[in-house]
Amino acid sequence: MSQGNIRNFCIIAHIDHGKSTLADRFLEITKTVEMRDMKHGQMLDTMDIEQERGITIKLQPVRMDWKHDGKEYILNLIDTPGHVDFSYEVSRSLAACEGAILVVDATQGIEAQTLANCYLALEHNLEIIPVLNKIDLPSADVEKRAQEIEDALGIDKNDVIAISAKDGTNVEKVLERVVSVVPKPKETKNDDELKALIFDSVYDSYKGVVAFVRLMQGSVKKGDKVYLLNTKKQIDVIEVGYFRPKYEPAKILNSGEVGYIVTGLKTVREAKVGDTVWQKGTTKVEMNTAVPLDGYKKVKPFVFAGIYCTENDDFGVLREALEKLQINDSALTFEPENSSALGHGFRCGFLGLLHMEIVQERLEREYDMDLIITAPSVSYDVALKGGDVITISSPAELPDMATVDQIREPWVKVELLTPKEYVGAIMTLCTDKRGESKDMQYLDQNRVILSFEMPLASIVVDFYDQLKSVTSGYASMNYEYLENRAGDLVKLDILVADERVDALALIVHRKNAFYVGQDITKKLKDIIPKAQFAIPIQAAIGGKIVARETISAFRKDVTAKLYGGDVTRKNKLLNKQKKGKKRMKMMGKINMPQEAFLAVLKKDGK
Ligand code: GTP
């Protein structure tokens, strides 16, 4: 079949707007697979967590054959992850397509991240097919939402297709539009030179690392020796094939097609998203002069946290578990870290908070680990007086302030989409978090897009929850990295029973240090269990105490109410208490519960 019949497209949608349901309808219309098989057989292995949270981070790509109007088409559907943590992956998925279906819930309207992804799709010159979903619901307002799409994206409202992915209304029209407006893949002349874009890579327990590719030019088949131009690796192609959505081996993948390559690599870090699979002859010299496809970026973690075991002997198990997770998660980084408070653990780097939560849940569920996770922080560039610049990802690594010339922290551009009645509350929230208001635009009479520049540190902690709380859940947000900017930042130490707890130290803006110190000491006072002696809790900048609370002494003897000498009963009770201590860490004479390390995450007074 010629390239003229291929259409490569993706779906851009906000969480819950109906992307999975629409994809299922496509599979039915094209008779590719029964919906049931898809749900149970094909989802990626993070699905447990995704399904419980009601989110799909990414759908499996799929190749569908569709006979329509006497013609046969090959439709390749690729997904874009619907979460801000994965914006680089979105950009690579878009680069693999010529068109994008924009799905907007007709009862909700467009959301901040969809808008951002749509702008990105327009930048990549993708043909956009606007779709309003859920028109079977009484609260669907097609006219208003179509106008909103026109105003926000400059797409003619008359081009919007109103559908119900649930009952199938007009879904076929979407596919008809795909074949009529999405351009076929560009024909290329250099077909002796392979260039394929890796838009995703996964670890499969049978096949090893499988790279998901879009061929931009040339072809690839089993047995070929190919190169990854950015990581400079050679691969012997073990198998190539298509997504049906299960892996279906094929003889050859040709220019314009979407498929997979079984690489024989051991971890997905070696087949990075955005890398170029290349071949032309086999000499190294040629590889060094070959030009990779545009847009490759090394993904850098943005958010860092320490992960420790409650039992110190589990350190080896934690290392193994992290290594295993990393096989299928190229964005996860970890390095051993020692904390005087928590012992041996790892400083882990994540793409964002959702990514961090997923890793935490997988460690706890799949590896049955009992963990202490410290509050997330960002990384800082620290310019030293001697002229050197070091990058630190933990406040504990900050050198003596006497040697520091400047601390630079990451800033992000935040876009918030909200009903207009919440503008005031959002302004207050963002300004409190050191945000600078940059722009405000009305999307329609009721909805506003607000633009801020903010320190990333202000949004990695609990910004999203607070945003949802002050807007009754109506606002949505998107953010992108801007640059590192110098700030008047200081290290805030927390002392418990006169001991500095390194795992609780924070880097904060000087003007917020007093307030943050007070807040944390208060929270810790409520969280740390009483002991048989008074426990002072202090916050300090250098030698200066900025806040102090005291936990009064308390003597609790769990065995006091037992009389008689039944030692088994006594032991049973003590064991029960020991169990209750899980997720606590003994520090000197003090028990620190897990919540203490996340005290900064908790909302004021809530
Ligand atoms: P994520 O998995 O979170 O990314 O969401 P999604 O965009 O894939 O949405 P999904 O297809 O899971 O749909 C979200 C919810 O909306 C589900 O409960 C669907 O049953 C429902 N839904 C999807 N399409 C329609 C529709 O056309 N009409 C109605 N009434 N409900 C729909």
Side-chain angles (χ1 to χ4, degrees), residues 441-567:
Q441 274 180 18
Y442 273 82
L443 195 58
D444 59 26
Q445 287 165 342
N446 293 314
R447 302 221 302 162
V448 180
I449 305 173
L450 296 165
S451 202
F452 286 87
E453 289 181 8
M454 288 171 83
L456 177 63
S458 298
I459 64 167
V460 297
V461 183
D462 67 342
F463 181 75
Y464 188 67
D465 288 344
Q466 290 188 24
L467 176 71
K468 287 284 170 192
S469 138
V470 301
T471 62
S472 312
Y474 281 115
S476 62
M477 69 176 273
N478 185 58
Y479 68 85
E480 60 186 284
Y481 172 75
L482 285 172
E483 65 201 342
N484 276 15
R485 291 183 190 167
D488 188 6
L489 303 171
V490 289
K491 181 169 156 205
L492 188 69
D493 284 311
I494 305 294
L495 292 80
V496 177
D498 300 316
E499 294 271 348
R500 241 168 253 273
V501 184
D502 51 3
L504 287 175
L506 297 167
I507 292 176
V508 294
H509 197 269
R510 192 184 297 275
K511 74 172 190 220
N512 294 341
F514 172 72
Y515 161 76
V516 175
Q518 267 196 332
D519 189 47
I520 292 182
T521 49
K522 273 212 186 81
K523 281 175 190 151
L524 289 177
K525 186 183 171 191
D526 292 339
I527 293 170
I528 297 175
K530 289 186 175 189
Q532 292 163 10
F533 46 88
I535 310 170
I537 301 173
Q538 297 157 307
I541 300 174
K544 194 173 144 226
I545 305 294
V546 294
R548 179 193 168 106
E549 295 282 336
T550 306
I551 302 175
S552 56
F554 176 65
R555 194 184 153 83
K556 187 181 179 192
D557 184 350
V558 286
T559 60
K561 58 175 183 270
L562 288 179
Y563 35 87
D566 185 348
V567 76

Side-chain angles (χ1 to χ4, degrees), residues 11-15 17-19 80-82 101-104 113-114 117:
I11 301 185
I12 297 176
H14 189 68
I15 287 167
H17 283 202
K19 154 176 101 177
T80 60
I101 300 175
L102 163 69
V103 178
V104 175
Q113 228 222 314
T114 333
N117 286 346

Side-chain angles (χ1 to χ4, degrees), residues 15-21 54-56 133-134 136 164-166:
I15 287 167
D16 264 0
H17 283 202
K19 154 176 101 177
S20 320
T21 314
I55 53 171
T56 318
N133 187 28
K134 307 198 187 179
D136 56 293
S164 165
K166 191 174 174 186

Side-chain angles (χ1 to χ4, degrees), residues 397-426:
E397 293 171 49
L398 188 66
D400 183 350
M401 286 304 279
T403 65
V404 172
D405 181 33
Q406 199 180 52
I407 304 178
R408 295 190 281 267
E409 63 177 331
W411 276 64
V412 289
K413 178 177 173 198
V414 183
E415 292 207 311
L416 299 142
L417 212 158
T418 176
K420 67 176 180 208
E421 59 266 37
Y422 302 114
V423 167
I426 291 181

Side-chain angles (χ1 to χ4, degrees), residues 11 13-25 39 47 50 53-59 79 82 103 105 107 132-138 163-168:
I11 301 185
H14 189 68
I15 287 167
D16 264 0
H17 283 202
K19 154 176 101 177
S20 320
T21 314
L22 179 61
D24 286 346
R25 288 295 89 72
K39 280 256 146 55
M47 272 317 282
E50 291 180 22
R53 288 159 181 257
I55 53 171
T56 318
I57 292 170
K58 215 170 351 172
L59 296 174
D79 191 23
V103 178
D105 185 329
T107 69
L132 281 170
N133 187 28
K134 307 198 187 179
I135 55 163
D136 56 293
L137 293 175
I163 69 161
S164 165
K166 191 174 174 186
D167 64 23

Side-chain angles (χ1 to χ4, degrees), residues 35-235:
M35 186 176 145
R36 211 154 273 173
D37 293 347
M38 174 94 180
K39 280 256 146 55
H40 296 302
Q42 278 303 315
M43 294 297 181
L44 302 178
D45 62 358
T46 48
M47 272 317 282
D48 274 0
I49 298 166
E50 291 180 22
Q51 258 165 10
E52 264 169 45
R53 288 159 181 257
I55 53 171
T56 318
I57 292 170
K58 215 170 351 172
L59 296 174
Q60 183 85 6
V62 60
R63 171 174 163 128
M64 301 172 280
D65 294 331
W66 192 43
K67 277 194 192 124
H68 180 67
D69 243 1
K71 281 196 188 139
E72 288 180 27
Y73 295 97
I74 295 169
L75 307 177
N76 287 314
L77 172 60
I78 295 173
D79 191 23
T80 60
H83 192 277
V84 60
D85 282 5
F86 306 100
S87 54
Y88 170 67
E89 297 200 14
V90 172
S91 81
R92 293 308 84 210
S93 294
L94 295 175
C97 299
E98 279 82 24
I101 300 175
L102 163 69
V103 178
V104 175
D105 185 329
T107 69
Q108 310 271 322
I110 203 159
E111 299 292 352
Q113 228 222 314
T114 333
L115 209 52
N117 286 346
C118 237
Y119 288 140
L120 209 56
L122 288 168
E123 268 171 40
H124 279 86
N125 290 323
L126 262 55
E127 191 64 43
I128 300 206
I129 299 170
V131 166
L132 281 170
N133 187 28
K134 307 198 187 179
I135 55 163
D136 56 293
L137 293 175
S139 54
D141 190 340
V142 173
E143 179 54 32
K144 180 172 159 197
R145 300 306 176 190
Q147 185 65 50
E148 195 177 280
I149 290 174
E150 178 170 309
D151 294 345
L153 293 161
I155 293 171
D156 189 339
K157 65 178 176 194
N158 297 314
D159 288 344
V160 174
I161 310 174
I163 69 161
S164 165
K166 191 174 174 186
D167 64 23
T169 310
N170 290 343
V171 171
E172 197 155 336
K173 283 199 180 141
V174 180
L175 286 186
E176 282 166 7
R177 184 75 66 81
V178 167
V179 299
S180 69
V181 306
V182 174
K184 59 182 189 185
K186 264 201 199 106
E187 310 249 346
T188 51
K189 296 200 180 74
N190 315 325
D191 273 346
D192 60 328
E193 185 179 10
L194 165 73
K195 279 189 188 177
L197 170 71
I198 301 182
F199 62 87
D200 201 359
S201 63
V202 302
Y203 182 82
D204 178 275
S205 39
Y206 298 108
K207 294 184 188 289
V209 173
V210 183
F212 294 8
V213 290
R214 154 73 199 265
L215 274 74
M216 298 300 179
Q217 60 181 57
S219 60
V220 61
K221 58 185 188 314
K222 180 175 165 176
D224 282 352
K225 274 193 193 324
V226 298
Y227 296 90
L228 298 180
L229 289 183
N230 290 293
T231 46
K232 308 255 182 268
K233 266 204 170 353
Q234 189 190 323
I235 292 172

